[in-house]
Amino acid sequence: MDKDKMVVLWENGKQIKVKVNTSSSKLSDPRSKEEAAASVERLQDNEDVPLFQRKMPNKYNSKSNKPKRWGALKPVLLTIASALGVGTLLGIIMLRMFGTIDPEVPTNGSAAVPAEIETANKESSNAEVALEPVNAFVLQAGVFSGRENASEWAETYKEAGVSTILWEKDNQFYLLAGMAQDKEGATQLRDEMTKDGLEFYVKEWSTGAGTLHVSEDNKAWLEQLQKNWIETKKGLSNERPFEKETWDKLAQLIPKQAGQFSALAEEVRNSAELAEDLSSQKAQHQLLLLWNLYTNSADKQ
C-alpha cells in the first residue's frame, strides 16, 4: 500500500477514515499539508479510496452457544397457562349449572334446619287427636325377652295356620294370636284353637288415653279410625266383621302424605281392600295389627 494514503473503514455500521504510514515530519511540510488537503478532498468525493469493512464484537449483541432459558421454560409456561384457562372456564360452567354453592353443613352429623322449614313443621302439627283408652281380651301365644326368639315361635304358629302379631311392651315381646270383646268370648276362642295342640292364654290387654299432635290433614282420618276400630271389635262374633263401605270411606280420608302414620295408613287401605274376605279369625288379626300400629305411632311422639 502507498505511503500517505487514506483508507475508509466501516465499523459497526459507521464510516471512519484512517491514514496509513503517515509521519509527523511530513505533516509539518507545506507540501505535505497540500498533499494531505488534496487527499481529504478526494476522500470527500469518495474517489480512489478503497473501502474496508470490519465488525467489532458487541458484548450486548453477541450470541451465546448456551440454549436460552426462555426456550426451555416456554413449554412449561404454556402448559400452566392452558390449565388455568381450562380450569376457569369449567368453574364458570359449573357455577351456572348449579347456581349457588350449598351452605356449609355442620360436621357434628346434624344438619341445620332452615327457619322456614322448622316453622312449617310446627304449623303442620298444630292439631290434636284425643286417644281413647282401649280394652280387649287377647289370646297370648307366648312372651319373650328377645325379638329373635319370638319371631321363631311366630313362624311355628304360622306353619300351623295361625296368624300372630308381635307386640313389644315393657321391654318384652308378646306373641298375640287373637282377640275378643270380652273374657267369655276369648275363652271360647281359646278352646276352639287349642284342639290343634297349640297353647294359648287369655289375657286382658289395654292401652291408655293420650293426645296426638298431628297435622290438620291427618286429624280427620285418625279420629274416624278409632270409631271404625271400636265398632268392628264389637262385631267380631259376626262372620264378616269388617264393613267394606265404612272402611272404604276411611281410606279415602287419608292424605297423600301421611307422615309418621304412613305404615298405619297403608294397613287401613289394606283393610278396606280385604274387608269382604276377612273371616272372624283373620279380622281379629287385622284389628290387633291396626291397634299395634296406632299405638306405636303415638309412642314415637
Side-chain angles (χ1 to χ4, degrees):
M1 185 178 295
D2 297 334
K3 294 180 179 179
D4 300 331
K5 191 170 184 180
M6 301 292 290
V7 296
V8 177
L9 296 179
W10 290 84
E11 182 177 10
N12 296 330
K14 296 181 180 180
Q15 189 182 64
I16 60 174
K17 301 168 186 177
V18 180
K19 291 182 180 181
V20 180
N21 294 331
T22 302
S23 63
S24 58
S25 59
K26 290 183 178 181
L27 288 176
S28 61
D29 187 21
R31 288 184 303 173
S32 298
K33 292 179 180 180
E34 291 176 3
E35 291 176 1
S39 297
V40 171
E41 278 185 40
R42 289 196 300 270
L43 286 174
Q44 292 175 349
D45 295 333
N46 290 327
E47 294 178 359
D48 300 325
V49 179
L51 298 177
F52 298 91
Q53 293 189 21
R54 67 175 177 175
K55 293 183 179 181
M56 297 296 292
N58 190 332
K59 62 179 179 180
Y60 300 105
N61 296 326
S62 61
K63 295 183 178 179
S64 173
N65 293 328
K66 297 181 180 180
K68 293 182 178 180
R69 292 184 179 180
W70 166 248
L73 293 176
K74 185 176 181 180
V76 178
L77 295 176
L78 289 176
T79 302
I80 294 174
S82 300
L84 290 174
V86 173
T88 303
L89 180 61
L90 289 177
I92 294 173
I93 294 174
M94 294 296 287
L95 286 175
R96 289 184 177 180
M97 288 177 61
F98 296 101
T100 59
I101 299 175
D102 292 336
E104 185 177 352
V105 178
T107 56
N108 59 1
S110 59
V113 179
E116 59 272 15
I117 296 178
E118 187 175 359
T119 302
N121 289 338
K122 290 181 179 179
E123 292 177 353
S124 65
S125 301
N126 57 0
E128 291 184 353
V129 174
L131 290 175
E132 300 294 336
V134 179
N135 182 75
F137 286 85
V138 301
L139 294 186
Q140 178 180 301
V143 57
F144 308 89
S145 59
R147 180 182 293 274
E148 184 176 356
N149 194 19
S151 299
E152 291 178 358
W153 275 96
E155 288 296 323
T156 301
Y157 279 91
K158 184 178 180 180
E159 291 174 359
V162 178
S163 298
T164 60
I165 74 158
L166 196 59
W167 192 313
E168 183 180 358
K169 186 178 182 180
D170 300 328
N171 297 323
Q172 290 185 311
F173 298 88
Y174 293 84
L175 201 60
L176 306 182
M179 63 176 292
Q181 173 73 10
D182 50 36
K183 187 175 182 180
E184 290 75 12
T187 302
Q188 182 181 353
L189 182 62
R190 180 200 62 187
D191 295 340
E192 293 175 356
M193 299 179 67
T194 304
K195 294 178 181 179
D196 297 327
L198 302 175
E199 294 184 352
F200 302 96
Y201 303 91
V202 176
K203 183 179 180 66
E204 187 174 9
W205 201 261
S206 62
T207 54
T211 302
L212 278 177
H213 297 278
V214 300
S215 65
E216 290 290 348
D217 292 338
N218 281 319
K219 178 179 173 63
W221 76 273
L222 289 173
E223 289 179 338
Q224 186 61 43
L225 171 59
Q226 292 188 89
K227 296 177 182 179
N228 281 21
W229 192 93
I230 293 173
E231 290 300 319
T232 303
K233 185 190 72 165
K234 292 178 181 179
L236 280 177
S237 58
N238 299 332
E239 185 178 354
R240 293 287 185 270
F242 276 79
E243 294 184 3
K244 182 171 177 57
E245 183 179 357
T246 301
W247 286 88
D248 280 341
K249 289 181 179 179
L250 175 60
Q252 293 173 4
L253 291 176
I254 301 174
K256 292 183 179 180
Q257 300 295 332
Q260 70 184 81
F261 304 101
S262 296
L264 178 61
E266 186 62 29
E267 202 55 50
V268 168
R269 295 189 185 97
N270 189 41
S271 299
E273 293 178 1
L274 300 175
E276 294 179 344
D277 299 325
L278 292 175
S279 62
S280 179
Q281 203 280 325
K282 291 181 179 178
Q284 295 170 35
H285 176 267
Q286 196 66 22
L287 284 178
L288 281 171
L289 185 58
L290 290 169
W291 191 5
N292 179 244
L293 288 172
Y294 196 15
T295 304
N296 287 342
S297 299
D299 290 341
K300 290 179 180 178
Q301 290 196 345

